[in-house]
Amino acid sequence: MFIEQKALLKSLEEISGIIESMDRRFMLKAIGSFSCRLPAEQQASRLIELTERKKRLLILRLDVYEALRGLKPEYRRILAEKYGFDEEKRGVTDEKNRNYYKKLALATGKFAKVLEAQGLTTEKIRELAASFHFISEAIAVEKAHSISAANFGVLKNTSGKSLKPSGKNLKPAETKFTPTDEERKSTEECGSGSGVRERNAQ
């Protein structure tokens, strides 16, 4: 649940790094354009394309930070510690119990709701992932993590035998002892034998 939104939080720091690398690439391409063998129009087209990609990432980063600012400080802290996009808040300080995971799920849900209100829906995030490989990778990692978490602790019966108790298995209190003919005969013989020994003793 909220796989795409979690992927954005996970890749938030990477977005900043990619924007910086785009700036460097732009400067190198612009400065080196005089030595490039491509026509000026084609070179300008590449620079415009790079600028547009950078613009999309800048808007995305702004949307994510605005959504985070719209959350309660406690929710923002939990997400910052979990996904490490804040230098001062890295590493979970809460005890990882049921209450913590409940708060984390609630914070993620609130974050996704604010994003959607801003127009950044799950579909829009998927569209961005198609253009930016690092976002699609983050989504794939989150999806795999979500599947493994869902399967954790599930008991799988691969034997093909039913694990349900059968009707034949009775409780000790319900078990009735019915002696066989041989057991009955030997009991009677022992009883008659002991009677003979008692009479002889008298």
Side-chain angles (χ1 to χ4, degrees), residues 51-143:
T51 305
E52 284 300 316
R53 284 175 66 79
K54 180 191 164 185
K55 185 181 170 183
R56 289 175 76 190
L57 282 182
L58 282 167
I59 292 167
L60 175 63
R61 184 174 68 174
L62 184 65
D63 285 344
V64 172
Y65 276 119
E66 278 185 3
L68 288 167
R69 276 195 291 272
L71 299 177
K72 289 180 181 178
E74 179 66 4
Y75 293 154
R76 195 163 55 247
R77 177 192 66 81
I78 288 167
L79 293 175
E81 288 182 354
K82 167 70 177 172
Y83 295 100
F85 52 79
D86 190 340
E87 287 289 339
E88 295 176 5
K89 293 172 182 174
R90 287 191 177 181
V92 177
T93 56
D94 298 49
E95 187 182 342
K96 289 188 176 181
N97 52 25
R98 183 180 286 183
N99 188 42
Y100 165 73
Y101 288 109
K102 189 178 177 182
K103 283 196 291 184
L104 179 62
L106 192 59
T108 309
K110 296 281 184 186
F111 169 72
K113 195 174 180 181
V114 176
L115 274 184
E116 196 167 344
Q118 291 174 187
L120 195 57
T121 60
T122 302
E123 289 73 26
K124 285 275 179 72
I125 299 168
R126 286 176 188 162
E127 282 175 25
L128 285 163
S131 301
F132 297 101
H133 184 65
F134 74 96
I135 297 175
S136 66
E137 273 189 349
I139 290 172
V141 169
E142 265 315 312
K143 199 173 282 185

Side-chain angles (χ1 to χ4, degrees), residues 156-163:
K156 291 184 179 179
N157 178 19
T158 55
S159 66
K161 294 179 182 177
S162 174
L163 297 176

Side-chain angles (χ1 to χ4, degrees), residues 172-198:
E174 295 172 332
T175 308
K176 293 181 180 179
F177 175 72
T178 50
T180 61
D181 291 340
E182 287 180 12
E183 286 171 338
R184 204 178 294 111
K185 192 176 180 182
S186 80
T187 306
E188 287 169 1
E189 285 174 359
C190 287
S192 59
S194 60
V196 170
R197 280 195 293 274
E198 282 172 7

